[in-house]
Amino acid sequence: MASPMRSLLTNPDRYLQSFRLFLANSTEHQCMQEFMERQLPAVIASIGNGKSTINILSVGGGAGEIDLLILSKVQARYPGVTINNDVIDPSADQISKYKERVAKTPNLENVKFTWHEETSYEYERRMNAEKKSKKWDFIHMVQMLYYVKDVPATIRYFHSLLEAQGKLLIILVSGTSGWETLWKKFGSSLPLGDLCSYVSLADIKRILDPAGLKYQVHELPSHMDITSCFIEGNEDGELLLDFLTETCEFSRTAPPELKRQVMEELRKPECSEKRDGKVLFNNNLSFIVIEP
């Protein structure tokens, strides 16, 4: 009998709902902000040397919150320089939120935005068909490599678009995070299909090392409050469980034994820690900076 479990990505509205709840319940964005404040200035220190225009490509830019933080750091390093900021994202809803955010943000006069409503693969295919290979000074992929079909090919393609002084920044979950534990144990039981793949820093290293690419890794701690997942029937808890398992209505559709095992695993120290009566899931992030 076919399992009633479906990938969360088959229901875009519920996916966005659960994703927003994840952001609200986690230190994901604070963790990224810390990286942007402390480490990013050194990363971008030479990307615009001697240039009158800096070209930035955001792959999977989402609603733009992190993108605008990155742009503010580039503006601070290269005041007054024109910045072309191209954004690739398949979600019309996210692009619309990004545009609203730009409209409300001051001091963006020297930034020209171009949005491409398509996946990274569609962008690559279109550029190849149009025989275009524009070079970029800074390319970033924030938490998006889970949603590409061929991770090595995607990294290779965008890395090939770097200028001589350029940098490629990849942000994704750390190999020490609870995600890694959860995926290794239950990945094969969950309804991912080809909509999502489980990748962490360990997988990226396996791609970069044989290719002889130079890169640095910064690891930063992050957590997500999943206490509500253990309250039977709690709506937020169910949405967070959906996000953790990438399964639409996991609580309702998962076989009881699988649900029991997942809930048990989520409480273990490999996935979470208990603090002040809360269950905090390990959401540690890896920031990988790749040279041309």
Side-chain angles (χ1 to χ4, degrees):
M1 190 181 115
S3 162
M5 293 168 76
R6 285 186 304 129
S7 165
L8 183 55
L9 293 172
T10 59
N11 186 333
D13 289 344
R14 192 166 172 94
Y15 172 79
L16 270 178
Q17 223 185 328
S18 67
F19 174 62
R20 288 190 186 128
L21 195 61
F22 157 69
L23 289 181
N25 274 349
S26 72
T27 58
E28 170 100 349
H29 274 179
Q30 294 91 307
C31 174
M32 288 188 195
Q33 280 165 343
E34 189 181 329
F35 174 83
M36 303 307 166
E37 297 295 337
R38 293 185 179 183
Q39 322 279 0
L40 189 67
V43 172
I44 58 169
S46 59
I47 61 167
N49 284 355
K51 300 195 168 204
S52 56
T53 303
I54 293 173
N55 296 315
I56 297 179
L57 181 61
S58 164
V59 188
E65 188 178 343
I66 300 300
D67 283 21
L68 293 186
L69 194 55
I70 290 172
L71 286 170
S72 72
K73 298 300 168 198
V74 177
Q75 285 177 308
R77 173 69 183 85
Y78 301 99
V81 170
T82 301
I83 299 171
N84 291 323
N85 187 71
D86 279 38
V87 181
I88 302 167
D89 200 284
S91 164
D93 178 76
Q94 292 287 77
I95 287 178
S96 149
K97 292 211 163 27
Y98 195 138
K99 289 178 177 175
E100 284 167 23
R101 187 167 260 128
V102 166
K104 291 180 195 149
T105 305
N107 308 322
L108 290 174
E109 298 77 23
N110 63 325
V111 184
K112 179 176 174 285
F113 289 89
T114 309
W115 285 274
H116 307 278
E117 191 187 313
E118 56 193 344
T119 64
S120 59
Y121 177 67
E122 286 162 350
Y123 174 86
E124 179 182 345
R125 210 169 44 182
R126 182 168 62 80
M127 288 295 134
N128 288 339
E130 294 170 9
K131 301 208 170 8
K132 287 181 182 168
S133 61
K134 180 172 177 174
K135 294 284 186 177
W136 302 89
D137 300 301
F138 190 50
I139 301 174
H140 53 86
M141 304 172 162
V142 178
Q143 295 287 45
M144 59 70 66
L145 279 175
Y146 319 110
Y147 307 111
V148 302
K149 282 194 171 65
D150 188 335
V151 175
T154 301
I155 292 176
R156 270 198 306 273
Y157 172 69
F158 286 103
H159 179 263
S160 76
L161 304 182
L162 285 178
E163 286 281 18
Q165 295 286 324
K167 296 278 193 290
L168 168 60
L169 170 67
I170 294 173
I171 303 179
L172 77 174
V173 297
S174 161
T176 63
S177 68
W179 296 103
E180 176 84 350
T181 307
L182 214 51
W183 293 342
K184 289 274 181 286
K185 199 152 193 177
F186 300 108
S188 58
S189 310
L190 298 170
L192 277 183
D194 57 0
L195 293 171
C196 176
S197 57
Y198 292 144
V199 279
S200 73
L201 171 67
D203 304 292
I204 303 303
K205 281 183 163 179
R206 278 197 287 274
I207 295 163
L208 301 180
D209 290 340
L213 294 177
K214 279 173 63 184
Y215 63 92
Q216 293 101 37
V217 178
H218 307 268
E219 296 261 331
L220 287 180
S222 170
H223 64 258
M224 164 171 48
D225 183 350
I226 59 168
T227 316
S228 60
C229 294
F230 300 97
I231 303 167
E232 196 64 44
N234 182 289
E235 202 175 320
D236 282 1
E238 305 220 329
L239 278 167
L240 286 176
L241 265 179
D242 285 12
F243 193 76
L244 283 161
T245 58
E246 289 281 348
T247 303
C248 191
E249 301 196 41
F250 175 79
S251 251
R252 196 175 60 76
T253 60
E257 183 53 19
L258 176 64
K259 183 182 172 185
R260 188 192 65 72
Q261 287 175 5
V262 167
M263 300 308 286
E264 199 174 284
E265 195 65 33
L266 283 172
R267 285 186 183 275
K268 288 184 181 171
E270 291 79 8
C271 276
S272 305
E273 64 165 314
K274 291 192 176 69
R275 203 192 307 160
D276 304 329
K278 292 179 176 168
V279 183
L280 302 178
F281 181 79
N282 179 330
N283 184 55
N284 290 358
L285 296 182
S286 295
F287 299 79
I288 307 153
V289 180
I290 308 171
E291 310 280 335

